[in-house]
């Protein structure tokens, strides 16, 4: 109907965290060391190959559901079984591969943006103060503007744009989660959608336009002020 949008293939790739990892590897996007774990695999052996501590998580779900940090082989076996139970409770296939990823120490941020003809416009960067170090990662608080310094903020934006291009996202919303590790930002995951709930209500643009209105105007090709009101 003439609306700007991400391609179908890019959107499907953004729904699968394993597909994201494969695309990021091809494009040399910074991401955690990782392996896949299938039901017949020994999750302890795969976790040991990645290195402890590591994180076991499903390739779907959101909001931190099913993301568990483990410190030992026995914890890895327990966590893999627990994640499969969570998938079953969520009505998803518990036999799908799980991701086993190296744990990245450092501040975690969420990037909210919109892509237009492949160009990323960052609308907001959220800090996650007091973030959990595991074993579970509930999202309790996000704060914007971010407290990252100029160099770190620039690196986060550049890495996010590189990750979006690797997935083929071109026109529409983007929500990314990154950790700023010792060697710079690494992408935890990226989605072809906007942030929701109370977080989206904190963002106002131009003459008090909401995030949702901004995204709709971009899809329609209407002139849109992407400058966010800067109050915390």
């Amino acid at each position: 109907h003439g609306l700007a949008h991400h391609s179908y293939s890019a959107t499907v790739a953004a729904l699968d965290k394993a597909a994201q990892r494969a695309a990021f590897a091809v494009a040399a996007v910074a991401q955690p060391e990782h392996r896949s774990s299938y039901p017949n695999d020994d999750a302890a052996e795969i976790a040991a190959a990645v290195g402890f501590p590591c994180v076991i998580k499903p390739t779907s779900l959101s909001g931190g559901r099913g993301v568990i940090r483990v410190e030992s082989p026995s914890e890895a076996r327990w966590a893999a079984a627990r994640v499969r139970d969570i998938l079953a409770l969520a009505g998803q296939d518990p036999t799908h591969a799980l991701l086993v990823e190296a744990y990245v120490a450092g501040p975690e941020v969420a990037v909210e943006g919109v892509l237009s003809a492949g160009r990323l416009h960052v609308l907001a960067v959220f800090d996650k103060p007091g973030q959990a170090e595991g074993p579970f990662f509930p999202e309790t608080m996000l704060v914007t503007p971010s407290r990252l310094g100029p160099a770190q903020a620039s690196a986060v934006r550049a890495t996010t744009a590189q990750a979006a291009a690797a997935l083929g996202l071109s026109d529409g919303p983007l929500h990314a989660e990154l950790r700023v590790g010792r060697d710079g930002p690494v992408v935890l995951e990226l989605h072809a959608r906007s942030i929701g709930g109370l977080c989206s209500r904190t963002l106002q643009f131009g003459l008090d336009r909401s995030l949702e209105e901004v995204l709709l105007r971009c899809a329609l090709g209407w002139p849109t002020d992407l400058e966010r009101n800067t109050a915390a």
Side-chain angles (χ1 to χ4, degrees):
H1 299 289
L3 299 179
H5 59 86
H6 299 305
S7 71
Y8 174 79
S9 59
T11 303
V12 169
L15 290 170
D16 186 332
K17 296 172 188 177
Q20 288 186 31
R21 290 278 171 255
F24 294 161
V26 170
V29 176
Q31 61 178 330
E33 174 72 20
H34 60 279
R35 301 283 192 280
S36 293
S37 177
Y38 295 89
N40 292 331
D41 293 334
D42 185 348
E45 291 183 2
I46 295 173
V50 170
F52 295 106
C54 61
V55 172
I56 297 179
K57 66 183 186 183
T59 59
S60 56
L61 303 183
S62 61
R65 286 185 298 166
V67 181
I68 304 176
R69 173 176 165 168
V70 299
E71 304 277 350
S72 68
S74 60
E75 287 185 5
R77 293 189 181 100
W78 170 84
R82 178 59 183 150
V83 173
R84 296 193 185 282
D85 287 343
I86 292 170
L87 282 169
L89 288 170
Q92 299 197 24
D93 188 349
T95 65
H96 279 172
L98 307 180
L99 280 175
V100 182
E101 300 180 349
Y103 176 76
V104 179
E108 186 169 329
V109 296
V111 177
E112 195 66 19
V114 60
L115 289 143
S116 177
R119 179 186 176 192
L120 174 64
H121 302 269
V122 173
L123 302 176
V125 179
F126 289 91
D127 286 341
K128 297 187 176 183
Q131 65 193 23
E133 297 297 324
F136 309 108
F137 298 88
E139 291 195 347
T140 56
M141 183 183 297
L142 286 83
V143 176
T144 190
S146 171
R147 295 169 293 178
L148 293 177
Q152 287 182 320
S154 178
V156 163
R157 286 173 166 81
T159 301
T160 302
Q162 184 187 13
L167 294 180
L169 298 175
S170 60
D171 292 273
L174 170 149
H175 177 77
E177 308 278 346
L178 300 91
R179 283 237 177 181
V180 184
R182 181 180 57 188
D183 299 322
V186 297
V187 181
L188 301 182
E189 53 193 68
L190 189 150
H191 304 282
R193 59 167 173 81
S194 65
I195 200 168
L198 294 172
C199 296
S200 70
R201 298 185 210 172
T202 68
L203 303 179
Q204 297 292 323
F205 302 85
L207 299 174
D208 291 329
R209 287 194 172 118
S210 68
L211 172 63
E212 291 78 12
E213 182 177 351
V214 164
L215 295 177
L216 286 171
R217 291 179 67 89
C218 288
L220 289 163
W222 292 358
T224 306
D225 185 352
L226 297 179
E227 289 300 316
R228 186 175 64 82
N229 297 343
T230 56

